[in-house]
Amino acid sequence: MAAVRSDAEEEAAAAGDPDGGPEQPGRAQVFGAVVDTFLEKLVAAGSYQRFAKCYRCFYQLQPQVTQSIYDQFIAQLQASVKEEIQEVKNEGNLDALFNSLDKIVEEAKNKEEPAWRPSGIPEEDICSVVVPYLLKHRLYLQKVLKAKEEENRKVAESVLAGRDRIAELQQLIQARKHAWQAISKEQRELVMTFKEPQ
């Protein structure tokens, strides 16, 4: 385990100090180093001696086969862990997030004004953070409300126009109905005049 620590320390030393030396490794690289260190410690914790001790009878009968099984087990374990961690990195888009965080930290180094610090009065701190957000949200909601009101006004106008059109059509239908009834009455009267009196 000491060898693992020294490797991690060597990587940190190679990266240099943040004040003047070479650039520090990115968070993605640090994450990769942590994963590698974890795997090395995992392999060290599951050493061949422990494996052989668990399967002592088999080890005593077939030491070469036991070594081969152990090597395959460790290789599969490392591959599975690396695959799972790669899936987590891909699903969580960790590389992009790490790069984004590195970029934010780098940009923050160039800022001269002091960062926000709590005042010690929780109510004021909450207000200083929440009020701008709420004001921004209120503006957004007012824009949405205006858009919805405009949309509702247009819909109401189209409904009223539709009602006017329906009323016009009803009047037209009534006029045609009356005209048809008048024509029908005239036809009946005309037919009656041609009929011979009985």
Side-chain angles (χ1 to χ4, degrees), residues 125-138:
D125 294 341
I126 293 289
C127 287
S128 69
V129 173
V130 173
V131 167
Y133 168 76
L134 293 176
L135 290 173
K136 184 177 175 184
H137 193 62
R138 183 172 73 177

Side-chain angles (χ1 to χ4, degrees), residues 40-51:
E40 289 175 15
K41 287 185 179 183
L42 182 65
V43 170
S47 66
Y48 177 68
Q49 290 77 18
R50 288 185 178 178
F51 185 82

Side-chain angles (χ1 to χ4, degrees), residues 4-31:
V4 171
R5 271 198 202 121
S6 66
D7 289 345
E9 288 169 4
E10 285 174 16
E11 282 185 34
D17 63 332
D19 294 333
E23 194 174 311
Q24 285 188 322
R27 282 168 174 72
Q29 293 170 322
V30 172
F31 181 75

Side-chain angles (χ1 to χ4, degrees), residues 10-187:
E10 285 174 16
E11 282 185 34
D17 63 332
D19 294 333
E23 194 174 311
Q24 285 188 322
R27 282 168 174 72
Q29 293 170 322
V30 172
F31 181 75
V34 167
V35 169
D36 292 341
T37 304
F38 163 74
L39 283 174
E40 289 175 15
K41 287 185 179 183
L42 182 65
V43 170
S47 66
Y48 177 68
Q49 290 77 18
R50 288 185 178 178
F51 185 82
K53 192 176 180 183
C54 289
Y55 299 99
R56 191 177 322 152
C57 296
F58 189 70
Y59 170 70
Q60 290 171 350
L61 292 172
Q62 297 281 335
Q64 292 85 9
V65 174
T66 307
Q67 179 70 45
S68 174
I69 291 171
Y70 171 78
D71 292 341
Q72 289 178 11
F73 170 72
I74 290 300
Q76 284 292 327
L77 179 65
Q78 287 177 325
S80 295
V81 169
K82 284 183 178 179
E83 186 179 314
E84 285 294 322
I85 288 174
Q86 190 59 43
E87 276 187 38
V88 169
K89 284 174 70 176
N90 292 341
E91 287 177 12
N93 199 14
L94 292 185
D95 286 333
L97 293 175
F98 285 144
N99 291 338
S100 172
L101 188 56
D102 287 339
K103 187 177 177 184
I104 290 170
V105 169
E106 198 60 39
E107 288 172 357
K109 287 180 182 177
N110 299 331
K111 291 188 177 178
E112 295 181 7
E113 70 268 3
W116 179 84
R117 298 285 182 265
S119 66
I121 304 169
E123 294 84 8
E124 289 180 9
D125 294 341
I126 293 289
C127 287
S128 69
V129 173
V130 173
V131 167
Y133 168 76
L134 293 176
L135 290 173
K136 184 177 175 184
H137 193 62
R138 183 172 73 177
L139 283 174
Y140 167 75
L141 290 176
Q142 286 173 340
K143 286 180 184 176
V144 170
L145 179 63
K146 283 181 182 176
K148 290 296 179 188
E149 285 174 345
E150 181 64 22
E151 184 181 329
N152 287 346
R153 185 186 61 74
K154 288 179 181 176
V155 169
E157 285 176 1
S158 67
V159 167
L160 290 175
R163 285 182 183 168
D164 291 343
R165 179 71 180 138
I166 289 170
E168 289 173 11
L169 290 173
Q170 284 177 338
Q171 289 174 353
L172 183 62
I173 289 169
Q174 286 296 326
R176 289 188 178 174
K177 179 182 171 187
H178 290 307
W180 181 79
Q181 286 175 343
I183 290 171
S184 178
K185 185 177 178 185
E186 287 176 11
Q187 283 179 348

